[in-house]
Amino acid sequence: MSEDASLIPVLHALNAQLNAAVATLLDDAPPVSADRSKPEFSSDFQSAAAMQLVKILRRNPRQIAQQIVEALGDSDLFDPPDLSGPGFIGFTLSDAALQRYMAGMLASDRLGVPRTGQGTVVIDYSSPNVAKRMHVAHIRSTIIGDALRRLGGFVGHRIIADNHIGDWGTQFGQLIWAWKHWRDDAAFAADPVAELERIYVEFNKKVEADPSFQDLAREELVKLQSGDEENLAIWSMMIESSKHAFDTVYDRLDVRFDVTNGESFYNDQLQGIVDDMLAAGQAEISDGAVVVFFRDEQGEDVMPPFLVRKSDGAALYATTDIATVKYRQATWDPARIIYVTDTRQQNHFRQLFEVVRRMGVTTRLDHVWFGMMSLPEGAFSTRKGNAPSLHDLLDEAERRAREQQVERLAKTGEEWSDEELGEFGRIIGLGGVKYSDLHNNSQSNITFSFDKMLSLEGNTAVYLQYTSARTNSLIRKAASLGKVADGTTLKLVEPQERDLLLHAMDFDRAVNAAWDHGKPNLLATHLYELASHYHSFWQACPVLKADDEQVVMSRLNLSLLTRKTLVLGLSLLGIEVPARM
Ligand code: ARG
């Protein structure tokens, strides 16, 4: 038995047989499919294929359905199909097929999910700006991007995670001037990024009061750009200390990157790219600047123009992104590039994608964008009236998770070591924060709430972690009675068992949908529904007290399958699971 034995997802297998049957009825048949049946039907899957063929075959759908069923013949996947309504074909999986799938999933470290992903995918996420603390949008990007990295790698792609940090731009003129005149060395030693942020904010206040301050910044910027050694050293020091601060966040969240090519990495390519675009007629001069227009046949702008060189000759964020696409193409020849940012950059990426298309790039380009997250006021101490630091927020989540557990244990009289409580708080606290970013349709705006995310009720990480811990304690208890899930026995008695298994068998589809659409919430939803099915199963089906040993074994297997799915699924979202709760 190989670790990676992959299963043909059941719906693929079913659809393959269905399409083969339809192909015997006519040439060039359109693709047809089956789907999970609505609860009011007794079948597991249902297809409206016959209705789809009415216009082509000019027969009544019931007759067509009958012909399809005849053509399907005997299958080892399903029992003889039934017909209902105007011509629906209902499929009920055979006991043998259900057993085969369950055993196959249990025997595989990947739950039988095939590695179908091909080629390299670059994922551009987190991408915070130097000399500023990561703000909430960067945190969301970090968490969603990291989940996508895990999902893409799991389905078989080579992933290049690229942290496109903002380490270049006019703000460095201001930062350097302010650094030279206003820095507080002790404050910098204590928290470098906070100090850089402070002098930056300070500088901007000064500019507001007296715009001539801007000239001082411009001088420093010109010196930096022309290679002045002192300014270059200050600039690199700012990058290094910021990266170091970002790394403490990444380590804590277990987030990884393969490369961190910041914006400055592309500096020496920018002017050449703009010149080439001008020469190729892809960009034009307008009011002294270089821009790309997006116009329809009537000459109307369909999108705002894309500015790639300012009239003072400076390149921009946009120019850097064009260079970045070119570099990624040349370096990794990716099949897909995914960018993860908040909703405010939708226009930017729409424009960018169109520009590089015109330059001949055919790679699939996706902008995975998300809504804004607002933080609750006064939920924890804010420093110097600034936004809370991420570390404070994570500390608070861990503290609350631990506290809740201490209260629970006080009720049951159990004793846990300090270490175990600490580890528990970490897993539940971090899981809660991550899941609150991952479970929503990422495009909706959300409010951060500790109470909601650490609640055992509803679609939360804790609920999933709790369900998995419950299955684990059942499995341990069974083992102490000499009963170990054999991974093969399946004997279905109650409808809840079948529902649970059929849902578990849909893991492959959920993983692939989450990856393909760039929506980790599709996997989160699948796991949440799995946990809900498990709770219904738990209510209806005694496991260790069942009076038939085969049923006991079967229910242990279903519990193990639930456990494995929750653990693997959560790990693909970057979330750990405690052994017990
Ligand atoms: N640093 C940018 C920001 O904070 C995000 C960069 C996203 N990636 C990119 N290739 N443009 O808004």
Side-chain angles (χ1 to χ4, degrees):
M1 206 158 24
S2 107
E3 281 190 347
D4 284 349
S6 62
L7 291 163
I8 300 176
V10 67
L11 208 49
H12 290 206
L14 177 58
N15 283 331
Q17 296 190 20
L18 183 62
N19 279 288
V22 168
T24 65
L25 302 189
L26 75 165
D27 295 332
D28 299 323
V32 294
S33 62
D35 270 311
R36 193 79 172 82
S37 303
K38 300 256 153 28
E40 58 270 27
F41 292 91
S42 63
S43 57
D44 299 328
F45 299 94
Q46 202 177 54
S47 175
M51 278 73 100
Q52 222 183 307
L53 300 176
V54 166
K55 281 220 180 97
I56 309 175
L57 292 174
R58 297 170 187 287
R59 246 170 279 154
N60 94 43
R62 203 70 201 188
Q63 254 179 328
I64 298 174
Q66 190 56 49
Q67 283 181 303
I68 296 177
V69 168
E70 274 157 29
L72 277 165
D74 284 343
S75 163
D76 62 353
L77 197 57
F78 42 83
D79 296 336
D82 62 65
L83 298 187
S84 60
F88 288 110
I89 308 171
F91 297 92
T92 299
L93 296 188
S94 67
D95 289 347
L98 288 169
Q99 191 277 339
R100 205 166 60 233
Y101 272 94
M102 182 198 73
M105 289 180 85
L106 282 174
S108 152
D109 279 352
R110 315 172 39 80
L111 291 167
V113 177
R115 274 180 224 273
T116 46
Q118 279 173 4
T120 301
V121 179
V122 177
I123 314 181
D124 176 320
Y125 61 96
S126 192
S127 310
N129 299 319
V130 162
K132 289 187 197 144
R133 281 182 291 176
M134 268 195 224
H135 63 68
V136 212
H138 297 123
I139 295 161
R140 257 202 120 176
S141 166
T142 303
I143 291 170
I144 295 172
D146 185 62
L148 293 177
R149 177 183 67 82
R150 291 166 189 266
L151 284 162
F154 180 73
V155 303
H157 292 285
R158 174 172 77 129
I159 303 290
I160 305 290
D162 187 354
N163 194 359
H164 190 75
I165 59 172
D167 61 358
W168 195 251
T170 48
Q171 73 272 28
F172 284 98
Q174 304 161 347
L175 279 162
I176 290 172
W177 191 92
W179 170 260
K180 287 180 178 170
H181 296 85
W182 295 338
R183 73 169 184 275
D184 174 338
D185 284 320
F188 183 76
D191 187 344
V193 179
E195 175 60 5
L196 293 177
E197 202 176 75
R198 181 190 70 82
I199 57 175
Y200 179 71
V201 170
E202 207 57 41
F203 191 91
N204 280 292
K205 277 190 207 147
K206 278 279 194 301
V207 171
E208 248 171 60
D210 176 0
S212 71
F213 257 84
Q214 206 59 278
D215 300 334
L216 301 172
R218 214 165 287 131
E219 276 165 34
E220 297 294 356
L221 185 67
V222 170
K223 276 166 79 183
L224 173 69
Q225 285 166 336
S226 51
D228 175 81
E229 260 175 47
E230 188 192 6
N231 282 9
L232 273 176
I234 296 174
W235 170 70
S236 330
M237 176 279 302
M238 289 178 178
I239 295 176
E240 284 320 307
S241 54
S242 301
K243 273 198 197 166
H244 183 77
F246 299 151
D247 281 342
T248 63
V249 170
Y250 300 143
D251 284 346
R252 191 163 180 186
L253 294 174
D254 191 21
V255 165
R256 310 240 172 287
F257 296 95
D258 300 295
V259 285
T260 299
N261 291 340
E263 292 178 27
S264 69
F265 180 82
Y266 304 96
N267 276 350
D268 56 359
Q269 300 161 34
L270 305 183
Q271 296 302 341
I273 286 178
V274 178
D275 292 339
D276 289 349
M277 289 174 75
L278 278 170
Q282 290 154 343
E284 55 194 271
I285 296 178
S286 167
D287 289 335
V290 181
V291 294
V292 179
F293 287 104
F294 309 97
R295 291 182 166 144
D296 62 14
E297 279 119 58
Q298 282 75 46
E300 296 288 328
D301 288 321
V302 291
M303 284 195 282
F306 205 44
L307 183 59
V308 293
R309 182 189 281 161
K310 293 203 282 192
S311 50
D312 66 5
L316 302 100
Y317 180 63
T319 328
T320 306
D321 260 328
I322 298 173
T324 307
V325 173
K326 288 184 140 224
Y327 174 84
R328 288 172 178 163
Q329 293 284 113
T331 313
W332 300 298
D333 187 25
R336 182 181 179 193
I337 305 178
I338 304 176
Y339 299 84
V340 188
T341 79
D342 71 45
T343 164
R344 292 170 301 181
Q345 299 201 31
Q346 280 198 73
N347 242 327
H348 168 73
F349 286 107
R350 242 181 252 135
Q351 295 169 309
L352 174 70
F353 294 172
E354 174 58 22
V355 168
V356 299
R357 289 266 173 267
R358 292 180 185 178
M359 297 170 80
V361 172
T362 53
T363 308
R364 174 173 171 191
L365 302 166
D366 290 314
H367 181 212
V368 167
W369 58 271
F370 50 85
M372 304 304 287
M373 178 161 74
S374 39
L375 289 168
E377 282 305 322
F380 35 79
S381 67
T382 52
R383 282 196 255 163
K384 304 177 202 156
N386 285 331
S389 90
L390 179 61
H391 285 294
D392 290 347
L393 189 142
L394 295 177
D395 286 347
E396 181 67 8
E398 293 185 12
R399 190 190 66 72
R400 288 182 184 228
R402 183 192 162 114
E403 200 74 351
Q404 283 186 2
Q405 186 66 359
V406 169
E407 279 166 29
R408 237 177 271 144
L409 295 178
K411 280 187 208 134
T412 62
E414 266 177 279
E415 295 217 3
W416 279 22
S417 72
D418 201 49
E419 253 161 62
E420 198 178 356
L421 276 172
E423 181 63 1
F424 181 88
R426 188 185 67 77
I427 292 176
I428 303 296
L430 292 182
V433 171
K434 288 190 181 185
Y435 198 78
S436 71
D437 266 339
L438 293 169
H439 80 285
N440 287 81
N441 176 342
S442 49
Q443 302 186 340
S444 42
N445 292 338
I446 54 177
T447 307
F448 184 96
S449 154
F450 284 119
D451 289 335
K452 248 199 237 155
M453 79 192 187
L454 294 177
S455 161
L456 266 174
E457 322 261 292
N459 188 0
T460 61
V462 211
Y463 174 66
L464 302 183
Q465 288 163 322
Y466 171 74
T467 307
S468 122
R470 169 183 272 186
T471 56
N472 209 27
S473 70
L474 170 71
I475 290 161
R476 269 201 312 255
K477 182 157 177 219
S480 74
L481 301 172
K483 295 177 186 183
V484 177
D486 64 6
T488 53
T489 304
L490 182 69
K491 187 168 177 185
L492 300 176
V493 184
E494 304 293 340
Q496 287 85 352
E497 298 171 283
R498 188 180 196 93
D499 286 346
L500 175 64
L501 177 55
L502 282 170
H503 189 79
M505 283 166 60
D506 202 30
F507 181 68
D508 170 277
R509 193 203 45 77
V511 165
N512 279 290
W515 162 247
D516 199 50
H517 298 284
K519 290 186 171 185
N521 66 294
L522 298 177
L523 175 58
T525 303
H526 174 82
L527 298 178
Y528 173 60
E529 288 169 358
L530 181 73
S532 307
H533 279 294
Y534 190 75
H535 283 264
S536 311
F537 159 86
W538 183 261
Q539 303 286 320
C541 307
V543 180
L544 297 174
K545 294 208 176 89
D547 40 24
D548 172 340
E549 277 311 307
Q550 280 209 309
V551 173
V552 172
M553 199 43 87
S554 173
R555 289 179 181 171
L556 276 177
N557 283 330
L558 291 174
S559 299
L560 185 61
L561 182 60
T562 304
R563 159 98 185 152
K564 284 187 70 161
T565 309
L566 289 172
V567 173
L568 177 60
L570 284 171
S571 83
L572 294 175
L573 299 177
I575 296 173
E576 294 173 66
V577 160
R580 58 171 181 162
M581 279 182 84

